[in-house]
Amino acid sequence: MKTFHELLKSRRSIRKYTDEALSPEDVRLILEAALMAPSSKRSTGWEFIVIEEKEKLKKLSYCKEFGAKPIAGAAMAVVVLADPLKSDVWIEDASIASILMQLQAEDLGLGSCWIQIRNRLTENGQSAEDYIREMLGIPYQIQVLSVITFGHKNEERKPFDEEKTMWEKVHIDKW
């Protein structure tokens, strides 16, 4: 097992996947990571829709004009949703669950990529969120944050270069 620091350095967005399916155990561990995520006041307003069917993945890849094509080639996509009536910080809570899934995937040697949905549009100008809501029958009050793709890596990405760590972004005691 890698150290957590090594895991952070090696987790990169992967957009190309092999055709190999994920094992049921890998799927379980990825989803369990999301379900163990912290949430404000333990409101657990997040929800997840798992998609592994190739035709649905392909249709989902049209959810926005740019940047969603990797969904079609993934072994699995998880649509990350949340109920804003359960928490005013639903975006933060769902984001934490998302990155925990991505870190779990990296720990398993799998690739993942965050596909932003909230505030994005399809090529026809429709809300990406509405496109997904209609496609998957999501209730109106549930918000769609993102789609996280998962699969066996079919591209190599170099680990994060620590020489590029932007320490100038850290301020101590004042701006």
Side-chain angles (χ1 to χ4, degrees):
M1 180 176 179
K2 303 173 186 178
T3 67
F4 186 70
H5 188 73
E6 290 170 334
L7 184 68
L8 291 174
K9 283 177 24 180
S10 63
R11 197 232 49 91
R12 305 302 303 268
S13 293
I14 300 296
R15 293 173 178 82
K16 295 178 183 172
Y17 304 101
T18 69
D19 290 333
E20 185 180 351
L22 300 181
S23 73
E25 177 66 7
D26 287 347
V27 171
R28 186 188 67 76
L29 288 170
I30 290 167
L31 296 173
E32 193 172 78
L35 295 170
M36 292 191 313
S39 63
S40 176
K41 301 175 189 166
R42 199 62 187 146
S43 58
T44 63
W46 24 247
E47 303 276 347
F48 310 96
I49 300 175
V50 178
I51 300 171
E52 294 179 290
E53 185 184 307
K54 282 296 182 190
E55 279 305 309
K56 278 191 178 177
L57 289 167
K58 183 177 180 182
K59 185 175 179 185
L60 188 59
S61 75
Y62 296 110
C63 66
K64 64 181 201 168
E65 187 172 8
F66 301 107
K69 299 308 174 231
I71 298 171
M76 176 178 81
V78 176
V79 180
V80 180
L81 318 129
D83 185 344
L85 299 178
K86 288 190 176 181
S87 176
D88 64 333
V89 292
W90 68 270
I91 295 170
E92 294 86 342
D93 288 348
S95 296
I96 293 167
S98 297
I99 194 61
L100 289 181
M101 285 190 287
Q102 290 191 275
L103 289 171
Q104 179 63 71
E106 181 63 36
D107 190 52
L108 294 168
L110 301 170
S112 69
C113 187
W114 177 301
I115 311 291
Q116 178 67 21
I117 299 302
R118 192 177 67 81
N119 296 332
R120 298 298 185 265
L121 301 173
T122 67
E123 68 180 358
N124 298 328
Q126 178 186 20
S127 155
E129 187 172 4
D130 288 344
Y131 176 91
I132 292 173
R133 181 185 319 286
E134 290 169 15
M135 179 183 162
L136 301 176
I138 299 166
Y140 186 73
Q141 81 277 6
I142 303 298
Q143 303 295 300
V144 182
L145 176 68
S146 62
V147 175
I148 311 295
T149 61
F150 298 94
H152 293 273
K153 299 175 185 180
N154 200 16
E155 66 177 316
E156 287 300 318
R157 301 280 315 272
K158 291 180 183 177
F160 180 81
D161 181 357
E162 288 187 85
E163 300 269 328
K164 295 181 179 176
T165 303
M166 295 182 276
W167 285 104
E168 68 275 12
K169 300 286 187 179
V170 178
H171 308 278
I172 308 296
D173 290 332
K174 64 179 181 172
W175 182 262

